[in-house]
Each structure stands twice: as C-alpha cells, then as structure tokens.
C-alpha cells in the first residue's frame, strides 16, 4: 500500500480530524505526505509533516529503514503543515536538510536554526547511487520557497502543495478514490488560484519532463491511465484540469451569492436564478451565512458570471457578504460580477458592493435594486434582467 515505485515509498501521516486549514474547509481531512527514496548508495526522505504527526511518519519510515539510515532530508516547502514537526524528524534522521535558500530562510525564521543545510538551486541534482533527484524551483506555487523535486529514473514528480487535495484516506492512488476531482478543484480554487499565471508557466515547463507519477504533499497520488486500477481520475486528468483552471476556462454557468435580512434580497436571488435558467444558463445559488465559502469559490472557478446580492445594513453591506468578498478578493478570480439587493431608505449596499468587486479586479454590472420588498412586477423585471444577461452577455 505504501510502495509508489521501486524504491519509492509513501511514509506520510493521515489527519482524519482536520475540518479547517486556515481559511479553508477540509470536510474530508487531509494527509501530510512524506516519501522515502532508496538509492543504491544513499536514501532521501522528501518532506515532513505538521506538528504532532512526526511519530506517525517515523512509524511508517521504520517499516523500511532505520531513521538514522536517511542520508538527506529534502524540504520542498517550509509551511507549518509540512515543517511543523521538522525538528523532531531532523533529530531522528540526523541528516543534512537539502533545500533552496528561500526554504532555509523560512525554516530559520520559524525559529528552527542550527541545522546542517545543504542549499541547492534550480537544476541541481542529488545522486543517491542509482537514483537521481533533480531540484525544480516552483517559486510562488504557492510560497516563495516552494520547490518541486523530480526523481529522474522513476519519472516521479514530488511537487509538494501543487496537485494536492485535502482528502484523508487509506488509499494512496487517485484512481481509487471517488469524488476526487471535486476535492482537487476545491483545493485549487482556494489555494492555487491566485497563482494561475505561474501554473500556466509551470505546466509548459513540465511538457519537457517525462511524468509517470505525480506525488503531492496532500491527499492521494496521480498515476497515468495505463497503470490505473480504479475508475477514479488519473494523472492526465489532473494535468488537464490544472490547465483549464489556470486559464480560467469557464462554462455557461452563473453563481448567485447573497444574504438577506427580510427575504427581499433572497426573493431577488431566486428570481435571478429563474431568469438565468430561462436564458439557458446553469446556475448555483448560495445564501452566504448558510454556505461554505470554499464550496462557492470552487463553483466560481468554472463560472462565467457571479451575481452578488446584499441588503443595505447600517449604510453598508451585510456582514456575511463582506466576509465572503474579503475571502474572494485574495483569490484573484476572473469573471464578471453583477450586483443586486434591497434597501430601506438609501441604496448604499450596491454602491459598496461595486467598489469592493472592482477593487478585486472584476468587471462590475449594476443589477436590480429595490426599496423594501420587491413585488411580483419587480420580480418579473429581475427575471427579465437575468434572462437578457444570459442571452446577451454570456457566451454560448
Ligand atoms: Fe500544504 Fe503550503 O502547505
């Protein structure tokens, strides 16, 4: 179950309990993947685990070799979920830490100094005997220190966070896990999306690299369709998906997000959905205070347009709408935005929504706004607006 290729083993840890990782939700937990590469002359351990998981890593490592037989500890990225228990692992293996200088600085700035570092650069190789590890810089995918490591003889890429998914499972291969692409999409939308231009650049670079296996630092491992044993997604699928997501490839789909005080904005949201459907568009609707922001941004990744609705509250926008826009802004989405909502005596929310969305880099269209409760005539107007928008502004 832990053998990935000849001499390559998964020795990571499974976090079954995690339901939130920073601002992201993780409904199926996650894994912190660590890999042992055994060479003819020396052994390398690639990446470590979050605080509290070193014992699980060492338990799995000891099934193959004594920790003291690890000759190189490769660190691709020093965020806490991969380096939180670095100290404990480093003490057990007592081997030099192989990493780029940015990773060395990150490790030291987290208060973990005094290690024996072997600093490497893009293109450098580490000879393990009959196995060669090559360093591939992956700056800002998704941290300045992010690095990929490539095992030349077995054509295995260890890309750390890239191509990951937050899924806790006893399976190790992607093709053996159901519903995996949804989790890969949630992960991309919330973590990788802001760096989409760099994903495009890296995918071009990877066209010249032979890949049989991509073994990320979270979730399960991607192998090519020829070697797959299950019906789930394979390496070709995730590479194609990353290409589409990073090019903001959208379908004829709109996502409506809103919150409501007295159901007026809610009525408008439902009418917008009806009009969009009449215009032949696929629609998802989310009431923000009841919904998971991570799910919403996953739908937005493939949407052409987002309708954002808020009632006016104290001269501004509703708190849950503001919170969502804060989350969204950092993700640098690419789509059109339409504002809508209801108000009591001054229509302040829509103007503020427009400002927030424009500052997030979105093209904004002012949609319907009504005082107090929209009646059936008003809602017909909303339906017509949405249908016309679908027909005239959304591509077939
Ligand atoms: Fe999985 Fe950037 O840490």
């Amino acid at each position: 179950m832990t053998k990935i290729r000849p001499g390559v083993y998964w020795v990571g840890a499974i976090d079954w309990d995690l339901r939130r990782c920073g601002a992201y939700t993780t409904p199926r937990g996650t894994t912190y993947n660590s890999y042992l590469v055994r060479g003819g002359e020396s052994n390398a351990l690639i990446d470590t685990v979050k605080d509290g998981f070193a014992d699980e890593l060492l338990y799995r490592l000891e099934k193959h070799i004594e920790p003291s037989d690890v000759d190189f500890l490769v660190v691709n990225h020093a965020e806490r979920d991969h380096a939180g228990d670095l100290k404990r692992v480093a003490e057990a293996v007592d081997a030099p830490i192989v990493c780029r200088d940015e990773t060395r600085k990150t490790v030291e700035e987290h208060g973990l100094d005094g290690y024996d570092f072997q600093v490497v650069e893009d293109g450098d190789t580490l000879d393990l005997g009959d196995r060669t590890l090559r360093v591939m810089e992956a700056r800002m995918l998704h941290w300045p220190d992010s690095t990929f490591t490539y095992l030349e003889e077995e054509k295995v890429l260890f890309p750390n966070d890239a191509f990951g998914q937050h899924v806790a499972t006893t399976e190790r291969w992607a093709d053996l896990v159901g519903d995996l692409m949804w989790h890969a999409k949630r992960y991309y939308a919330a973590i990788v999306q802001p760096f989409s231009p760099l994903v495009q650049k890296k995918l071009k670079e990877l066209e010249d690299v032979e890949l049989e296996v991509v073994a990320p630092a979270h979730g399960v491992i991607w192998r090519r369709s020829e070697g797959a044993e299950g019906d789930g997604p394979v390496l070709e699928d995730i590479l194609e998906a990353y290409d589409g997501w990073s090019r903001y490839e959208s379908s004829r789909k709109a996502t409506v997000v809103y919150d409501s005080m007295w159901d007026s904005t809610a009525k408008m949201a439902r009418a917008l959905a009806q009009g969009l459907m009449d215009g032949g568009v696929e629609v998802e609707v989310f009431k923000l205070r009841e919904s998971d922001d991570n799910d919403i941004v996953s739908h937005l990744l493939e949407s052409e347009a987002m309708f954002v609705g808020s009632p006016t509250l104290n001269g501004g926008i509703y708190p849950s709408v503001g919170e969502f826009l804060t989350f969204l802004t950092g993700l640098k989405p690419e789509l059109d935005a339409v504002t809508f909502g209801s108000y009591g005596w001054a229509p302040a929310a829509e103007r503020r929504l427009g400002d927030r969305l424009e500052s997030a880099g979105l093209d904004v269209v002012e949609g319907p706004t009504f005082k107090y409760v929209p009646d059936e005539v008003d809602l017909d107007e909303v339906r017509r607006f949405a249908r016309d928008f679908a027909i005239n502004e959304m591509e077939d």
Side-chain angles (χ1 to χ4, degrees), residues 12-149:
I14 303 175
D15 191 345
W16 300 99
D17 299 338
L18 190 77
R19 291 294 175 268
R20 188 167 275 279
C21 178
Y24 323 120
T25 52
T26 52
R28 280 191 68 181
T30 196
T31 66
Y32 312 111
N33 295 338
S34 181
Y35 299 95
L36 169 66
V37 179
R38 300 194 67 170
E41 290 170 14
S42 44
N43 304 307
L45 183 64
I46 300 179
D47 289 325
T48 64
V49 289
K50 187 181 173 183
D51 308 61
F53 287 87
D55 285 346
E56 190 170 332
L57 182 160
L58 294 170
Y59 164 78
R60 292 202 167 93
L61 179 65
E62 284 167 10
K63 289 180 185 295
H64 303 285
I65 59 172
E66 287 298 318
S68 57
D69 289 334
V70 170
D71 301 287
F72 302 100
L73 179 49
V74 176
V75 176
N76 280 328
H77 172 41
E79 195 170 3
R80 306 301 297 160
D81 52 339
H82 306 291
D85 247 356
L86 178 62
K87 184 172 192 292
R88 170 109 171 76
V89 178
E91 280 170 6
V93 302
D94 193 22
I97 293 177
V98 179
C99 62
R100 293 197 300 115
D101 201 43
E102 276 164 316
T103 313
R104 177 194 62 76
K105 281 185 209 149
T106 309
V107 169
E108 290 187 340
E109 284 165 7
H110 275 89
L112 297 166
D113 50 11
Y115 292 120
D116 175 16
F117 287 100
Q118 183 172 328
V119 172
V120 289
E121 292 178 0
D122 184 55
D124 284 356
T125 56
L126 196 62
D127 185 1
L128 306 179
D130 52 0
R131 293 281 188 278
T132 313
L133 295 174
R134 177 150 54 92
V135 179
M136 296 177 71
E137 185 197 287
R139 189 178 160 72
M140 297 319 294
L141 286 177
H142 67 137
W143 270 30
D145 75 325
S146 295
T147 306
F148 293 0
T149 297

Side-chain angles (χ1 to χ4, degrees), residues 261 310-319 349:
M261 276 178 74
S310 174
T312 293
L313 175 68
N314 297 330
I317 56 181
Y318 205 73

Side-chain angles (χ1 to χ4, degrees), residues 120-357:
V120 289
E121 292 178 0
D122 184 55
D124 284 356
T125 56
L126 196 62
D127 185 1
L128 306 179
D130 52 0
R131 293 281 188 278
T132 313
L133 295 174
R134 177 150 54 92
V135 179
M136 296 177 71
E137 185 197 287
R139 189 178 160 72
M140 297 319 294
L141 286 177
H142 67 137
W143 270 30
D145 75 325
S146 295
T147 306
F148 293 0
T149 297
Y150 179 63
L151 174 57
E152 292 182 345
E153 291 78 6
E154 294 297 332
K155 305 178 178 58
V156 179
L157 183 71
F158 303 98
N160 195 268
D161 279 322
F163 306 109
Q165 344 82 43
H166 286 311
V167 172
T169 168
T170 50
E171 300 294 352
R172 297 276 63 84
W173 296 107
D175 52 276
L176 300 178
V177 178
D179 204 22
L180 188 67
M181 287 310 280
W182 171 241
H183 290 279
K185 192 195 295 182
R186 286 180 104 258
Y187 183 101
Y188 186 94
I191 298 166
V192 188
Q193 181 176 200
F195 312 102
S196 288
L198 295 173
V199 172
Q200 273 292 302
K201 196 164 160 256
K202 186 56 77 178
L203 289 174
K204 294 270 175 310
E205 210 181 308
L206 290 177
E207 283 174 7
D208 297 326
V209 178
E210 283 188 278
L211 295 177
E212 286 298 327
V213 169
V214 170
H218 294 293
V220 284
I221 300 162
W222 307 95
R223 58 184 165 187
R224 288 206 169 270
S225 49
E226 307 92 74
E229 294 164 19
D231 297 330
V234 292
L235 177 55
E236 292 91 329
D237 295 322
I238 192 66
L239 291 173
E240 190 184 336
Y242 261 54
D243 184 41
W245 295 333
S246 59
R247 283 190 292 108
Y248 295 97
E249 217 171 50
S250 58
S251 56
R252 203 155 179 267
K253 172 173 171 175
T255 300
V256 179
V257 300
Y258 75 98
D259 218 320
S260 196
M261 276 178 74
W262 299 110
D263 214 35
S264 297
T265 306
K267 282 180 177 152
M268 295 171 72
R270 289 192 285 272
L272 283 168
Q274 289 158 7
L276 287 164
M277 288 165 70
D278 290 344
V281 165
E282 181 191 345
V283 186
E284 299 280 346
V285 181
F286 296 94
K287 185 174 184 179
L288 285 165
R289 89 183 84 150
E290 316 289 355
S291 305
D292 181 329
D293 288 351
N294 209 150
D295 285 339
I296 299 171
V297 296
S298 309
H299 284 286
L300 288 176
L301 193 58
E302 291 175 341
S303 295
E304 217 178 302
M306 170 177 63
F307 289 69
V308 187
S310 174
T312 293
L313 175 68
N314 297 330
I317 56 181
Y318 205 73
S320 57
V321 181
E323 184 184 325
F324 172 72
L325 292 179
T326 300
F327 181 63
L328 184 74
T329 299
L331 299 180
K332 301 182 184 165
E334 269 197 22
L335 72 174
D336 294 330
V338 180
T339 58
F340 69 97
S342 72
Y343 62 94
W345 49 95
E350 190 160 35
R351 194 180 62 248
R352 289 188 190 275
L353 277 178
D355 292 347
R356 292 282 301 270
L357 290 162

